[in-house]
Amino acid sequence: MNELEELEFDQRMLESAMNNTYLILTGKATYEALLDKESMQSGDIAQHIETALLFNPMAEDYNPKFPHLHNDCNRDELIDTMIEYFVETEEYEKCAELVKYKERVNGSKR
């Protein structure tokens, strides 16, 4: 893979991870549904990146409503990063939904 191909792959991976995580957090999709959709695609499974996520769905304490993060990032930081990404891509409806999600989650922590 040359440098340009690597950059394009990284961009596709980032876009997929942001969109898939958004879909799961907002209840518009489940991880299982994303996997089912991916399994219907043709080609070698190693070529598929459409199920990339920003959390680890294989963690023992994974909960689809509150995804367990696979890194040191907390949920608020994850959502803030996603909001920044969707501002850059001018997807303001997604930003608004993520702000509401963050408020709802933080309200339930109190």
Side-chain angles (χ1 to χ4, degrees):
M1 205 182 276
N2 67 37
E3 191 173 329
L4 179 59
E5 290 172 330
E6 286 181 30
L7 288 173
E8 289 173 351
F9 177 83
D10 290 347
Q11 184 59 38
R12 283 183 45 222
M13 182 72 81
L14 175 63
E15 180 181 347
S16 180
M18 290 291 182
N19 284 308
N20 289 336
T21 302
Y22 162 80
L23 291 171
I24 290 172
L25 289 179
T26 58
K28 296 178 187 222
T30 64
Y31 182 61
E32 291 77 20
L34 294 173
L35 286 176
D36 287 346
K37 180 180 173 188
E38 181 72 5
S39 69
M40 299 297 180
Q41 304 298 317
S42 61
D44 184 333
I45 193 69
Q47 297 173 356
H48 297 177
I49 61 165
E50 301 305 316
T51 54
L53 298 168
L54 298 176
F55 60 90
N56 182 358
M58 300 303 170
E60 288 183 27
D61 57 350
Y62 168 68
N63 180 330
K65 292 188 182 224
F66 303 102
H68 177 77
L69 304 178
H70 68 278
N71 54 28
D72 294 333
C73 179
N74 70 34
R75 185 173 26 245
D76 287 343
E77 290 174 359
L78 172 75
I79 295 169
D80 290 342
T81 300
M82 292 175 67
I83 290 169
E84 289 174 22
Y85 173 83
F86 289 122
V87 165
E88 287 180 23
T89 60
E90 299 181 3
E91 297 177 79
Y92 303 114
E93 300 83 15
K94 290 180 180 179
C95 296
E97 286 188 70
L98 289 168
V99 167
K100 288 179 187 176
Y101 174 82
K102 184 178 173 183
E103 289 171 352
R104 189 173 65 243
V105 169
N106 286 336
S108 69
K109 286 200 268 187
R110 295 178 192 166

